[in-house]
């Protein structure tokens, strides 16, 4: 917490949301590398969960599964920022940092962002794009290996989960991760998210034409379509939106379970029933009355 306070002490609090919160998990050996990266970005706050060894500045809990770890680091960040006040130079009253966050970024520890044209490191440019007042879309993700360099900015329902950008008021659409069948395979949770977005928020992820998620290893991870397990998760966690079924075939192109659009229909909105259910679920999780 002291590190977060020190880093934001010179930022003006002008009432706008102007912080990007980076969330990651992995081995303790990755923490310092990521910390240096995000310490170099303006208005960035970084939280990291280590699952193998304790490390100064990280959140340590051993032997967590992927959904457990992602839930842990997001909840820790949200609760920490909710309890931290920040007095800016233009305001006499302190503002909670959680009320000044624009986007949360959930990412794997081995993700890199490249500029599509130059193929060089592009973390600063991507970060600045998210801070730009013209960037307002609720969910974003960079291009992945299935996307051609010359493709324009598109809107997808399915995006690889190694990096998701969530506007502050849309984190309930992704969190908390369900933990049912967590011992089986990590990919069923991604599939469950995709199926829910097909129902609740089609074409939700803006895929900007200028940036690419370079994480070739992730494309090689075993996936498979475990329909029965995914349906069981959805019926357990979101029964009011069911009954659930999956009509997708094994041969569908990965990460593109529905057609990508150049422009979303009007301003694509979350289905009202989904919005109420996911918001209530998120609030109960944060206040401790619900455990996924």
């Amino acid at each position: 917490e002291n590190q977060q306070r020190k880093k934001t002490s010179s930022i003006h609090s002008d009432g706008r949301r102007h912080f990007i919160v980076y969330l990651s998990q992995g081995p303790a050996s990755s923490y310092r590398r990521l910390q240096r990266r995000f310490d170099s970005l303006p208005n960035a706050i970084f939280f990291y969960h280590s699952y193998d060894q304790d490390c100064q500045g990280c959140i340590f809990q051993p032997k967590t599964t992927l959904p457990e770890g992602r839930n842990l680091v997001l909840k820790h960040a949200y609760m920490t920022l909710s309890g931290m006040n920040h007095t800016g130079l233009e305001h006499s009253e302190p503002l909670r940092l959680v009320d000044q966050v624009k986007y949360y970024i959930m990412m794997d520890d081995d993700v890199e962002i490249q500029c599509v044209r130059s193929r060089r490191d592009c973390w600063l440019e991507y970060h600045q794009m998210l801070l730009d007042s013209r960037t307002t879309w609720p969910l974003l993700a960079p291009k992945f290996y299935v996307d051609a360099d010359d493709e324009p900015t598109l809107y997808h329902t399915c995006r690889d989960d190694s990096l998701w950008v969530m506007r502050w008021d849309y984190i309930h659409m992704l969190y908390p991760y369900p933990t049912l069948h967590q011992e089986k395979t990590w990919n069923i949770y991604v599939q469950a998210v995709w199926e829910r977005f097909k129902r609740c928020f089609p074409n939700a992820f803006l895929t900007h034409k200028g940036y690419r998620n370079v994480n070739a290893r992730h494309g090689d991870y075993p996936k498979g379509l475990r329909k029965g397990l995914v349906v069981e998760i959805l019926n357990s966690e979101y029964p009011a939106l069911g009954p659930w079924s999956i009509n997708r075939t094994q041969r569908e192109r990965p990460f593109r379970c529905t057609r990508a659009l150049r422009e979303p229909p009007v301003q694509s909105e979350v289905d009202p029933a989904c919005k109420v259910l996911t918001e209530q679920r998120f609030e109960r999780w944060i206040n401790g009355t619900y455990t996924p």
Side-chain angles (χ1 to χ4, degrees), residues 9-278:
S9 60
S10 62
I11 303 296
H12 287 236
S13 273
D14 56 6
R16 295 179 299 179
R17 292 184 175 270
H18 50 206
F19 287 106
I20 307 296
V21 176
Y22 290 86
L23 312 167
S24 189
Q25 65 173 335
S29 58
S30 294
Y31 174 66
R32 293 301 176 195
R33 171 178 54 83
L34 295 175
Q35 182 190 37
R36 288 192 296 269
R37 171 191 294 160
F38 297 122
D39 276 355
S40 70
L41 301 179
N43 292 30
I45 302 175
F46 175 50
F47 292 90
Y48 188 79
H49 159 54
S50 167
Y51 54 66
D52 62 351
Q53 296 179 31
D54 200 358
C55 50
Q56 185 177 3
C58 67
I59 310 156
F60 175 56
Q61 184 166 316
K63 300 180 180 180
T64 52
T65 63
L66 181 140
E68 287 174 337
R70 287 188 172 171
N71 287 345
L72 173 69
V73 69
L74 185 280
K75 189 171 186 177
H76 178 92
Y78 191 88
M79 299 296 286
T80 299
L81 296 174
S82 295
M84 289 173 59
N85 290 332
H86 167 222
T87 302
L89 301 180
E90 298 177 3
H91 289 266
S92 59
E93 294 296 323
L95 299 174
R96 294 189 312 164
L97 278 177
V98 75
D99 297 324
Q100 299 177 73
V101 174
K102 184 178 182 183
Y103 285 109
Y104 293 84
I105 298 181
M106 182 277 293
M107 52 173 283
D108 288 356
D109 68 299
D110 55 353
V111 164
E112 298 294 338
I113 298 294
Q114 282 187 357
C115 296
V116 168
R117 288 187 176 181
S118 65
R119 297 190 181 279
R120 62 177 176 81
D121 178 278
C122 217
W123 279 104
L124 177 60
E125 289 85 346
Y126 195 68
H127 181 81
Q128 290 174 327
M129 181 270 291
L130 295 176
L131 287 173
D132 193 308
S133 60
R134 294 168 295 181
T135 303
T136 60
W137 191 256
L139 298 166
L140 302 91
K143 288 185 174 184
F144 203 52
Y145 75 88
V146 297
D147 305 305
D149 284 353
D150 59 354
E151 283 187 341
T153 295
L154 297 173
Y155 297 81
H156 294 89
T157 301
C158 301
R159 287 284 77 182
D160 182 74
D161 75 315
S162 58
L163 192 152
W164 280 335
V165 181
M166 305 160 283
R167 204 173 71 194
W168 65 273
D169 53 341
Y170 276 74
I171 53 177
H172 62 88
M173 289 299 298
L174 291 165
Y175 282 90
Y177 269 60
T179 57
L180 180 66
H181 296 312
Q182 60 184 324
E183 75 285 355
K184 303 289 186 182
T185 172
W186 65 276
N187 192 49
I188 56 176
Y189 304 104
V190 186
Q191 294 175 5
V193 168
W194 291 348
E195 294 302 320
R196 186 157 50 81
F197 272 74
K198 288 167 68 175
R199 163 72 171 81
C200 296
F201 195 9
N203 305 299
F205 289 96
L206 185 155
T207 305
H208 194 288
K209 65 181 180 181
Y211 308 97
R212 184 178 298 281
N213 172 352
V214 180
N215 188 355
R217 287 174 48 201
H218 211 252
D220 296 331
Y221 293 165
K223 297 178 178 64
L225 183 54
R226 309 284 292 272
K227 291 184 182 181
L229 297 180
V230 175
V231 168
E232 190 174 342
I233 289 171
L234 292 169
N235 283 326
S236 172
E237 293 290 326
Y238 311 98
L241 303 178
W244 293 87
S245 62
I246 298 178
N247 299 319
R248 202 154 40 101
T249 68
Q250 188 75 45
R251 295 186 299 275
E252 285 195 32
R253 192 179 185 188
F255 316 122
R256 290 197 167 194
C257 60
T258 58
R259 183 171 61 93
L261 303 177
R262 276 179 173 265
E263 297 292 338
V266 196
Q267 172 84 359
S268 186
E269 293 289 344
V270 177
D271 176 89
C274 296
K275 186 175 187 294
V276 170
L277 188 150
T278 54

